[in-house]
Structures are given as C-alpha cells and as structure tokens.
Amino acid sequence: MKKNETITSLLDRRSCRSYTSESIAAEDLETILNAGLYAPNGMGKQSAVMVAVTNRQIRDRLSKLNAKVLGSAADPFYNAPVVVAVLADSDCRTFIEDGALVMGNLMIAAHSLGIASCWIHRAREIFDSPDGKKMKKEWNIADSYKGIGLCILGHKADSIKAQPRRQNRIINIT
C-alpha cells in the first residue's frame, strides 16, 4: 500500500476519550476550523456551520444537555476543553452528509496537528430540545439547522490503542 502524509493521518487517527484540561492553541483551533470549511458538500451549498465553544460555562451547558439525552450525569465530553458543534441547514437535501464531512475534516485536521478528537453524538437531540433551540437563537442560527455532531478537541491524557480492522469489509468488483 502506498503511503504519504495524508494517508498516514487517515490511518493513524483514533478517537480519544481521555483529555487533559490544557486548552489548545488559538492558531491550532483556527486551522482545524478552516479545514472544516473546506469539506466537500452537496451542490456547493455549504450548508454546515461550526460553533467553536471554548467558554467553559457554555461547554459545560452542552455537556449537561448531552448527558441528559444519555440519561447520565457523567461528562460525555471526557474533560475535553473545546467542543465544536456542527449544525447544517435541513432545508438542504444533503445536510446530514455535509455536516458529517465537516466532522471528518475537523478530526483529521486536528490529528495532523497533534490534537486529539472524538465525534460525540446526540447533537440532533440537543439542538431539537427547547434548551438547544434557545442556544441556536442565542447564536443567531436559524431553527432549520439541525445538530449533526459535536467534535471534542484537546490534548490526550492517555495513550490510544487502535482496534484491529474487521476483515472482509472491502468488496472488489472487477
């Protein structure tokens, strides 16, 4: 198999579920968010938006909403100091795919800079809830925008072990 820097980043990236409280550099966050802007999107509509949350109170508010959906009191963000909420305009046919591709770009860009990440689900439930709708309004985001994912970012506290890839997941038709 051929490898280059991009392929290596794709193969080496893993989800992190244990973070230090150390924040990430503003320049790194800007670079990661900019990579999100360049994710492929349906018909060039660019329907996804990113809300970068570095304010601890707002981050904790999102954490509590996410934990509530889970029926848990634990921090579903694993102590990560940064949360990027990705939402996309449901009036666009490809809004789910558009937002998912933004999430992918965020995580690969973070890895390339030595920043750990993880996709946290339940964004749709959060932003469809009364509290989530209130947040969208505070952030001047239209109600038609639906939560796609929450990308947590930070410095890993523990090593991350890769799980072996399951076999027979590639089918070649020639």
Side-chain angles (χ1 to χ4, degrees):
M1 172 182 0
K2 284 182 146 182
K3 280 192 179 181
N4 61 30
E5 192 175 331
T6 302
I7 297 298
T8 299
S9 283
L10 290 166
L11 298 179
D12 289 348
R13 192 219 151 260
R14 295 289 175 269
S15 293
C16 178
R17 292 177 180 84
S18 180
Y19 293 82
T20 69
S21 57
E22 178 188 357
S23 194
I24 63 175
E27 181 181 30
D28 287 342
L29 180 57
E30 181 182 345
T31 300
I32 293 165
L33 294 169
N34 195 50
L37 290 177
Y38 283 85
N41 57 88
M43 298 171 54
K45 298 271 186 185
Q46 301 179 38
S47 72
V49 298
M50 297 169 285
V51 180
V53 179
T54 56
N55 176 293
R56 189 66 191 202
Q57 289 178 317
I58 297 170
R59 178 244 180 253
D60 289 349
R61 188 171 154 201
L62 277 170
S63 174
K64 285 179 183 159
L65 289 172
N66 196 300
K68 184 178 178 183
V69 174
L70 265 177
S72 170
D75 177 16
F77 299 155
Y78 305 103
N79 197 43
V82 178
V83 177
V84 179
V86 176
L87 301 99
D89 190 350
S90 63
D91 290 340
C92 180
R93 290 170 130 187
T94 58
F95 79 100
I96 294 170
E97 294 85 352
D98 293 349
L101 287 164
V102 168
M103 289 288 293
N105 271 26
L106 293 174
M107 292 182 290
I108 294 299
H111 177 72
S112 76
L113 297 173
I115 306 294
S117 67
C118 189
W119 179 323
I120 304 298
H121 292 281
R122 297 166 296 282
R124 178 156 313 165
E125 293 92 333
I126 289 171
F127 292 108
D128 281 349
S129 75
D131 287 333
K133 287 181 179 192
K134 182 178 176 188
M135 285 180 120
K136 286 194 297 188
K137 192 170 188 167
E138 291 168 8
W139 298 340
N140 294 315
I141 296 173
D143 198 46
S144 61
Y145 279 75
K146 301 294 181 188
I148 303 298
L150 300 152
C151 181
I152 58 173
L153 301 167
H155 298 283
K156 65 183 176 181
D158 298 320
S159 62
I160 303 169
K161 294 182 179 118
Q163 293 181 358
R165 302 293 97 179
R166 288 184 323 150
Q167 297 297 308
N168 302 317
R169 292 178 49 220
I170 298 172
I171 300 167
N172 287 312
I173 308 294
T174 57

